[in-house]
Amino acid sequence: ARDLRAPGDPVRLVTVAMMRRGAKEKSYRLLADALGRLSHRNWELDVVGDGEAFDELRELLGGIAGDRATLHGKLEGPPLAQVLARGDVFVWPGIEEAFGMAYLEAQAHGLAVAACDTAGVSEVVRDGETGLLAREVTPSAYAAVIDRLIASEQLRRDLGERARRHIMERHSVEVAARVLQAELSGLGTRS
């Protein structure tokens, strides 16, 4: 889908996260603040997620992004894959993120990632290789990371291609099966 874009089409930003209080809400607020600083750029935002803070976060994102934001609610399987396939950049700050499965899924779809260098994010996103990580958890630092990706189609493509390759080499089902098999066979030889 990314290849079917016409020049001048908006860069499609995608986020997938539960809409609950605490760290997730903080990440949504940071994302909204960062995007508010990028109103001069040509982007649209697809948000996949649901939870007790949905109405409040819809209002927040609508106030920042207006009709540039589409909130899909909870999606799984093929509908989620379709949203990811249309995307250009996966945007999720990742405040207090332990191990972000959504980052892995986005990278498997060839999306460059824009996140903050927090907790477990750097375990699954390689700064400068599969995405860009803001060193500070501030709206201006995060906006700068997103802005770099919006500004450069080549950077988005390069990071996205490396992200997909990284996931296939390190996090695919086949790789997990080999690791599990090696561990299980090692248990049998120790006894």
Side-chain angles (χ1 to χ4, degrees):
R2 284 185 282 280
D3 293 335
L4 301 177
R5 294 262 168 68
D9 280 354
V11 173
R12 295 204 66 86
L13 309 175
V14 179
T15 195
V16 179
M18 290 297 301
M19 294 182 162
R20 58 180 176 236
R21 308 270 179 239
K24 298 287 188 197
E25 183 178 14
K26 289 177 190 175
S27 281
Y28 272 110
R29 290 187 178 286
L30 179 60
L31 174 62
D33 198 342
L35 292 177
R37 296 164 188 258
L38 299 172
S39 60
H40 63 286
R41 290 289 191 186
N42 189 15
W43 55 265
E44 292 182 353
L45 174 67
D46 284 302
V47 179
V48 177
D50 199 3
E52 75 262 7
F54 181 86
D55 291 335
E56 184 179 330
L57 292 172
R58 177 183 57 204
E59 186 175 317
L60 172 72
L61 291 167
I64 296 293
D67 61 357
R68 296 165 112 181
T70 302
L71 277 70
H72 299 275
K74 181 179 178 180
L75 297 177
E76 295 176 335
L80 173 58
Q82 289 175 342
V83 170
L84 290 168
R86 285 193 313 262
D88 295 303
V89 179
F90 185 77
V91 293
W92 185 243
I95 294 174
E96 298 176 30
E97 198 78 47
F99 187 87
M101 294 298 292
Y103 296 116
L104 295 176
E105 192 166 3
Q107 290 175 98
H109 280 85
L111 293 176
V113 173
C116 293
D117 193 0
T118 62
V121 175
S122 60
E123 297 293 320
V124 293
V125 179
R126 294 183 167 188
D127 189 29
E129 185 180 332
T130 66
L132 299 178
L133 300 179
R135 297 283 175 227
E136 298 174 18
V137 184
T138 64
S140 59
Y142 189 47
V145 164
I146 298 170
D147 192 40
R148 277 187 63 200
L149 290 167
I150 291 173
S152 176
E153 180 179 358
Q154 190 61 52
L155 179 60
R156 290 192 307 270
R157 285 183 183 270
D158 290 348
L159 293 173
E161 287 171 13
R162 287 194 298 257
R164 183 165 169 68
R165 196 167 45 249
H166 173 73
I167 296 303
M168 295 304 112
E169 292 170 357
R170 308 281 311 270
H171 297 284
S172 69
V173 171
E174 294 78 18
V175 170
R178 284 195 303 268
V179 169
L180 183 58
Q181 179 62 38
E183 291 297 318
L184 291 176
S185 66
L187 290 174
T189 60
R190 290 184 207 146
S191 53

